[in-house]
Amino acid sequence: MDQARQAGDEQQVPSLATLQRAIVRDLSVGERAGLKGGEAARRRYDVYGKRPATHRNACWEGDHKRIPVRVDLEGSAVCPWVTWFIDVATKAIVGVAVTPHQPARDAVLAALRTGISGQDPYGPFGGLPGVVRVDRGKEFLCRTVERAPGAFAVPVDGLPAYKPYRKGTIEALNGAVEEMLLVSLPGYTHRARPAEAYHPDPLEDLLSYPDFVKVLLDWVAWWNTEHRPAGLAEGLTPLEAWEADPAPVEDVAEERLAFFALEDDGRVRKITTNGISWRRRAYIAPWMAGHVGMRVRLRYLPHYDGRIEVFSTEEWGRHLGSAYLAQAATVEQRRALGSVREKKARALKADLKAAEKLRKARYTATTTAAVPRPRRTVTSSQAEAEIARARGADLAARALPDLIPPREPPASWARPVVRPRRAADSQADAWQAGDGGPPGAADAHNDSGER
């Protein structure tokens, strides 16, 4: 419009109201919302089909959720994560696992185990689901997670990326827990605050990590036994809907679930007088007495090395017992070690910042056509000293490859065949060494001189 006015052709320019009417007429509400707020805003005006009602354990949906609540973990404020699974038919939360950091496959396996087990405190919900529906998170689709439910013939359905509406039951649970519980907890990070006046809650006012986990699990129990979700008919609670469903539940024996979340080490080890060596550390247990020399195999929980499970080397290995890390560090030692590592990290960050500052060459501003001068002038002695320090710290420059001569290779090794030298090769070597020209060159020179 402005270009048309500048060109002097204002008669062909429509009014602003005409343009607005054309946009409203030609674009849908969703398209206008998408132009304003992106793809997420456009989806709010889409129509989604509803899956038909199913029976209990027909399908579970799982997801991670970052809890926007700061909690106290050994003197540090962290925002924990929850990994949980919900039964689509009855809206019952069947499995929960909480981690103080971003979860990995061990959290997924722990939540699945609590869901499949029907024993207290996880019951009465449990059994094998028909399918587990998850997103494209690498923790859900890793080989270990697929193999664990696959042992019970339970498929894991990985949904397309960036389509949360394909698992709407678990997404609704993620929103419900924040609206019903998290907003009322101290340390909630999404609380409205005055502009430019953000001050996090003091550490002493936050919930400790065990207290937060207890609060969350109590809310899960309330959801399952007292809350009445809108998606259930006749205003039932998830527990009432579960008990009223006549579909059979396929239970799994507890002895089969005891090692559901464990990974196989894949190697055969021997019990020694120091116990069992794994990852260069010793693991011991009272039951090992009298079994020195026995060959065993190990299984362990992913990302946890404080305890291992020991099995016999038979085809279907018999569980011999658990083994624990010998000489584990105390809480005070772990805190001191964490302080030392943080100090090293800060020192390294400062060194990198200083090195980057020294690496970049800065020049003075010029007002004439002249070569700019460096801002900092380094003397020759300073340059030589810094170069010498760098050479002294360079391990490759300090290496002495000829200090220890190589040993003679074993007699069993194949050696290269050395063919006998011919006379022509000897003459060519003598010519390259400067003993004269190539064979026949002197004769040729004499002949040319005579002519």
Side-chain angles (χ1 to χ4, degrees), residues 385-425:
E386 187 168 349
I387 294 173
R389 286 196 301 268
R391 288 175 178 173
D394 189 4
L395 297 180
R398 297 170 58 187
L400 301 175
D402 298 331
L403 180 62
I404 301 177
R407 294 181 299 177
E408 190 70 17
S412 59
W413 285 17
R415 297 171 179 265
V417 178
V418 180
R419 61 183 181 86
R421 297 174 60 85
R422 296 180 300 177
D425 297 339

Side-chain angles (χ1 to χ4, degrees), residues 48-318:
Y48 302 100
K50 201 169 185 179
R51 290 189 174 95
T54 56
H55 57 83
R56 61 182 179 183
N57 279 352
C59 176
W60 291 359
E61 291 182 355
D63 197 11
H64 299 308
K65 177 175 177 58
R66 182 182 181 273
I67 302 297
V69 175
R70 299 169 69 245
V71 300
D72 180 13
L73 176 65
E74 298 183 352
S76 300
V78 298
C79 287
W81 288 67
V82 60
T83 304
W84 47 15
F85 291 86
I86 188 171
D87 181 54
V88 174
T90 63
K91 307 297 186 293
I93 302 175
V94 293
V96 182
V98 187
T99 53
H101 47 72
Q102 189 168 358
R105 61 183 185 272
D106 59 330
V108 180
L109 293 173
L112 274 175
R113 185 188 182 281
T114 60
I116 296 175
S117 175
Q119 303 295 325
D120 292 334
Y122 314 125
F125 314 103
L128 291 177
V131 64
V132 178
R133 190 181 298 146
V134 295
D135 56 15
R136 304 297 298 180
K138 62 180 181 179
E139 300 86 8
F140 290 103
L141 297 182
C142 67
R143 183 174 57 183
T144 305
V145 174
E146 289 185 351
R147 185 183 303 168
F152 301 107
V154 176
V156 178
D157 184 11
L159 299 176
Y162 305 107
K163 289 181 172 56
Y165 55 87
R166 298 288 296 270
K167 51 182 180 64
T169 307
I170 192 68
E171 294 294 342
L173 177 64
N174 291 337
V177 68
E178 185 164 354
E179 296 177 3
M180 295 181 177
L181 174 67
L182 303 182
V183 293
S184 61
L185 298 181
Y188 181 63
T189 59
H190 294 170
R191 185 179 298 114
R193 301 177 185 270
E196 299 181 359
Y198 176 74
H199 297 285
D201 297 332
L203 192 63
E204 56 271 12
D205 295 341
L206 303 179
L207 288 173
S208 65
Y209 181 77
D211 292 340
F212 167 76
V213 175
K214 184 179 184 305
V215 170
L216 180 62
L217 295 182
D218 290 343
W219 183 87
V220 170
W222 170 84
W223 172 281
N224 286 338
T225 58
E226 300 181 25
H227 180 58
R228 303 180 184 276
L232 297 180
E234 303 176 1
L236 299 177
T237 65
L239 177 59
E240 294 172 349
W242 180 276
E243 294 176 345
D245 196 326
V249 176
E250 186 179 357
D251 294 324
V252 179
E254 285 299 314
E255 54 269 18
R256 296 186 63 189
L257 280 178
F259 313 108
F260 172 77
L262 301 182
E263 291 185 354
D264 193 348
D265 179 67
R267 290 179 55 188
V268 176
R269 285 177 167 80
K270 184 185 295 185
I271 300 178
T272 65
T273 54
N274 295 326
I276 299 176
S277 177
W278 182 55
R279 294 180 177 176
R280 299 182 180 180
R281 297 192 292 182
Y283 290 79
I284 59 176
W287 62 267
M288 293 183 184
H291 292 84
V292 173
M294 183 179 183
R295 295 182 177 273
V296 295
R297 296 186 65 173
L298 307 181
R299 293 182 185 176
Y300 59 93
L301 188 67
H303 305 291
Y304 178 67
D305 54 5
R307 169 181 169 180
I308 58 176
E309 303 295 334
V310 186
F311 294 80
S312 62
T313 56
E314 304 167 0
E315 182 178 1
W316 302 100
R318 178 172 53 91

